[in-house]
Amino acid sequence: DAKTTQPNSMESNEEEPVHLPCNHSTISGTDYIHWYRQLPSQGPEYVIHGLTSNVNNRMASLAIAEDRKSSTLILHRATLRDAAVYYCITPRRGSNYKLTFGKGTLLTVNP
Amino acid sequence: KAGVTQTPRYLIKTRGQQVTLSCSPISGHRSVSWYQQTPGQGLQFLFEYFSETQRNKGNFPGRFSGRQFSNSRSEMNVSTLELGDSALYLCASSLDGTSGKTQYFGPGTRLLVL
């Protein structure tokens, strides 16, 4: 898995978009980019994942840089429920699951 | 579909004892992974089971062990408990455990060792 770098914390206002960055400059062509989040007192929750192209789902969008050395998780309208620690992970394609979590980004959402 | 369930949710043990934690994956999921989460070390991978076989193991001492049953339910055991084993133990399941598939986490078992 590539080493990932994320800001320790970010702050947002409710109803505004949030862009959470992740740097993974050593990523290989066979590494996925996954995002998970962990709400207080809960287990991690899958958010989104991609390989090369941008991805959208009901929770968020994932924008992947053309060189794949960075990605951005986009929450289109932050709610108080989105306050959580967000983890960016790059497991190798085809590998068996062994997610390596870093410290993640603590997102605070202000009302 | 029911989510991943873990029992018990909370546990208090004393040093030297052993403990067994249980995880029931989402129906149809054959891969179960275990993680330990502590404030100091964050989330760390313990091991992963698929079809009753351990496929992947993290960097933990042999006191930590696990198994998976034919119905994909899994247990993890920690023997000779130490104070440092106090943590949130999380179980996650996925269809086949490969990196392109989503992992679904349970709520965790919070273990306190006194």
Side-chain angles (χ1 to χ4, degrees), chain A residues 30 32 34 36 38 41-46 49 87 91-103, chain B residues 9 33 35 37 40-41 43 45 48 55-58 88 90 94 97-103 105-107:
Chain A
T30 53
Y32 279 98
H34 284 242
Y36 283 76
Q38 188 170 21
S41 303
Q42 293 188 28
E45 174 187 34
Y46 168 81
H49 81 277
Y87 298 98
R92 183 131 302 167
R93 184 178 186 179
S95 68
N96 298 328
Y97 246 132
K98 182 183 174 179
L99 295 180
T100 304
F101 288 83
K103 299 264 189 245
Chain B
R9 293 292 311 279
S33 299
Y35 295 82
Q37 185 171 31
Q41 298 297 319
L43 270 157
F45 173 82
E48 186 249 355
R55 290 196 301 192
N56 229 332
K57 191 174 188 308
L88 179 66
L90 292 154
S94 74
T98 57
S99 54
K101 301 291 193 303
T102 301
Q103 266 203 338
F105 284 80

Side-chain angles (χ1 to χ4, degrees), chain B residues 61-106:
Chain B
R63 299 185 298 107
F64 292 82
S65 63
R67 59 178 175 166
Q68 186 181 35
F69 302 94
S70 58
N71 61 359
S72 293
R73 192 177 69 84
S74 177
E75 288 181 348
M76 69 161 279
N77 184 77
V78 188
S79 62
T80 321
L81 283 166
E82 300 177 0
L83 295 179
D85 297 333
S86 294
L88 179 66
Y89 290 88
L90 292 154
C91 157
S93 78
S94 74
L95 272 171
D96 60 12
T98 57
S99 54
K101 301 291 193 303
T102 301
Q103 266 203 338
Y104 296 88
F105 284 80

Side-chain angles (χ1 to χ4, degrees), chain A:
Chain A
D1 298 7
K3 180 174 159 47
T4 59
T5 305
Q6 299 178 253
N8 290 333
S9 62
M10 289 184 65
E11 212 168 311
S12 171
N13 295 320
E14 212 176 357
E15 306 283 310
E16 290 182 358
V18 182
H19 290 233
L20 295 160
C22 180
N23 182 286
H24 30 77
S25 57
T26 61
I27 196 169
S28 81
T30 53
D31 291 347
Y32 279 98
I33 300 162
H34 284 242
W35 284 81
Y36 283 76
R37 71 181 184 181
Q38 188 170 21
L39 278 64
S41 303
Q42 293 188 28
E45 174 187 34
Y46 168 81
V47 178
I48 200 166
H49 81 277
L51 190 59
T52 55
S53 305
N54 294 344
V55 185
N56 299 298
N57 66 22
R58 63 173 180 80
M59 285 180 72
S61 295
L62 176 60
I64 301 173
E66 207 169 313
D67 62 6
R68 298 201 341 118
K69 292 185 187 302
S70 66
S71 61
T72 303
L73 178 70
I74 302 165
L75 306 178
H76 296 287
R77 288 179 67 193
T79 68
L80 296 178
R81 199 197 166 276
D82 292 322
V85 178
Y86 286 78
Y87 298 98
C88 166
I89 301 156
T90 58
R92 183 131 302 167
R93 184 178 186 179
S95 68
N96 298 328
Y97 246 132
K98 182 183 174 179
L99 295 180
T100 304
F101 288 83
K103 299 264 189 245
T105 296
L106 174 62
L107 175 67
T108 302
V109 180
N110 300 313

